Amino acid sequence: MGERRPRGKMTNLRKQWRALTVAMLLLCLPGLAQTRPDVDTSENELRLGDSALASQDYRAALRAYMAASQLSGEACVKCFLKISTTCVAMKNWRDAVVLADRALAIATTDTDKAQAHNLKGTAYLAQAGQSENRLSQAEQEYRAATQGDPSVPPYHFSLGVTLLKESHDPEAIQELRRFVELAPEDSKAPMAKQWIADPRRARGQFVPEFRITSAQGDEFSLDRLKGKIVVLDFWATWCAPCREALPDLKDLAKKYPSDRFVLISVNLDDDPNDWRAFVENEKMTWPQVYDGAGQLFRAFGLEGLPTYIVLSGNGSLIDRVVGTDPNQSIAYRLKAILAKQTELNPH
């Protein structure tokens, strides 16, 4: 993740992947999924794929999952589900749907079918702004997922979100309540409760009320930050991509005047001493906040690090940047977002 590549350019992997049709992918499977001498079972390949996917090495993940499929005679439901999951991670929605359909065609358990329907729902929901029927398609898939395996909390959350977007509030509230019942400690539970209390908030850009105090003693809240563009940087010292983003964040902290922009880093280390020592050693002079209990992290419904939340001058959510991209630095990815904010670029 620390290796930098030319900014603004897709890697050959992405160019090749986007150029492939699913049919070509499956036809070329034997050639792409070359088995290795030290790996001779599909389960071993699946484990390799899972490790690569967790590290966001999508090329390695696809290679391993394809090899697993080949070793199983291309009759492996789990393999197609994993490939579809990788497509979702790559935001390759079309192929995610097709691979999920391949899984559905050979699935024999309700659990596997539910997972495939959930993957299709995720792909359709991500395209909701591009086609009028995507929301209804997402709803249909998420319904099938909840019916196939009603014990999985995220299925109910996703169906609830989709129903809220369709303004089907009473049924959406039922699904969100079911989600909270099944997973009361989930990071999305506070957000679900907010939407249950006021469904209209889900159709806007949700930003929870918060009040935090920095290590420097400054207090921040939505009210006190009015009129400024805000970037909340959620990070931890044990998070390698977070550490790699530091040079970009230092540049960002200096780029805009303090009366129009503020960068606030929110740390989630277990030990506050580790946080304090790291901040001092790295000379992180902008506002630093310790959130070891994860209260603010959960309030925003976040799941992974690093995550960057961009707030407008009126306290609404502008955008969020999740994770890292080996081809674009954090500053580069935020640059396009911040460039559109008139508060930072007065005429």
Side-chain angles (χ1 to χ4, degrees):
M1 297 303 297
E3 181 182 354
R4 290 284 181 82
R5 295 183 176 88
R7 298 180 177 182
K9 296 182 179 179
M10 293 189 300
T11 62
N12 289 334
L13 166 64
R14 290 191 176 184
K15 290 180 181 178
Q16 292 167 3
W17 174 255
R18 292 184 180 181
L20 284 175
T21 64
V22 173
M24 290 174 62
L25 176 69
L26 297 176
L27 287 172
C28 295
L29 185 59
L32 292 172
Q34 297 177 356
T35 58
R36 293 178 283 273
D38 59 331
V39 180
D40 57 1
T41 71
S42 61
E43 287 301 321
N44 284 343
E45 287 286 5
L46 286 172
R47 283 193 289 272
L48 288 173
D50 291 345
S51 177
L53 182 60
S55 301
Q56 298 181 352
D57 187 348
Y58 301 132
R59 181 177 184 177
L62 287 172
R63 183 169 60 244
Y65 292 145
M66 291 174 186
S69 181
Q70 181 186 9
L71 287 166
S72 66
E74 300 184 29
C76 170
V77 175
K78 187 182 296 186
C79 300
F80 287 121
L81 289 173
K82 297 285 189 179
I83 298 173
S84 179
T85 299
T86 307
C87 290
V88 167
M90 298 173 72
K91 296 181 173 57
N92 188 342
W93 312 123
R94 181 192 61 182
D95 289 358
V97 169
V98 176
L99 270 299
D101 279 333
R102 285 296 300 266
L104 279 170
I106 58 176
T108 58
T109 69
D110 289 339
T111 299
D112 287 340
K113 292 177 183 178
Q115 187 177 348
H117 284 298
N118 180 66
L119 286 165
K120 291 182 67 177
T122 300
Y124 288 141
L125 185 60
Q127 302 172 78
Q130 304 172 19
S131 175
E132 294 181 359
N133 67 336
R134 288 308 191 204
L135 271 180
S136 62
Q137 289 177 308
E139 178 191 340
Q140 179 180 349
E141 297 300 333
Y142 284 137
R143 284 190 186 279
T146 58
Q147 292 167 4
D149 195 348
S151 66
V152 179
Y155 297 170
H156 294 279
F157 180 84
S158 297
L159 177 56
V161 169
T162 304
L163 291 167
L164 284 174
K165 290 181 178 295
E166 295 177 302
S167 297
H168 299 163
D169 293 351
E171 191 176 3
I173 289 172
Q174 290 180 4
E175 292 298 329
L176 291 175
R177 282 176 175 163
R178 181 58 178 156
F179 164 73
V180 174
E181 290 172 2
L182 290 170
E185 301 302 320
D186 191 280
S187 63
K188 293 187 178 72
M191 183 183 298
K193 292 176 182 177
Q194 292 275 4
W195 290 344
I196 290 169
D198 185 0
R200 294 172 300 177
R201 298 189 72 177
R203 290 185 282 276
Q205 296 292 326
F206 175 79
V207 176
E209 295 288 342
F210 64 85
R211 189 174 297 276
I212 52 180
T213 302
S214 71
Q216 297 90 336
D218 297 318
E219 190 173 276
F220 297 97
S221 65
L222 284 180
D223 185 61
R224 293 195 175 196
L225 290 167
K226 280 185 178 178
K228 297 182 179 181
I229 299 298
V230 179
V231 173
L232 296 175
D233 156 41
F234 288 87
W235 72 291
T237 61
W238 45 260
C239 167
C242 301
R243 297 194 302 270
E244 292 165 6
L246 266 178
D248 289 333
L249 293 176
K250 289 180 179 179
D251 291 342
L252 191 63
K254 300 174 183 177
K255 181 177 178 63
Y256 298 105
S258 60
D259 62 334
R260 298 200 298 266
F261 174 81
V262 60
L263 169 66
I264 303 174
S265 287
V266 182
N267 178 271
L268 285 95
D269 273 39
D270 292 329
D271 188 343
N273 293 322
D274 292 342
W275 162 64
R276 293 191 186 95
F278 188 91
V279 167
E280 181 177 356
N281 290 338
E282 294 296 330
K283 296 180 174 56
M284 299 169 67
T285 57
W286 60 94
Q288 302 293 321
V289 173
Y290 181 65
D291 187 36
Q295 184 176 355
L296 189 60
F297 184 82
R298 290 192 299 273
F300 273 91
L302 306 183
E303 294 182 342
L305 299 177
T307 296
Y308 308 90
I309 302 294
V310 185
L311 305 179
S312 71
N314 62 15
S316 63
L317 178 66
I318 295 174
D319 209 338
R320 65 176 65 194
V321 177
V322 181
T324 58
D325 186 326
N327 311 300
Q328 297 177 345
S329 70
I330 296 304
Y332 184 87
R333 296 168 72 190
L334 290 174
K335 180 180 179 181
I337 299 172
L338 297 176
K340 298 176 183 177
Q341 312 312 312
T342 57
E343 295 96 324
L344 297 179
N345 303 281
H347 296 288

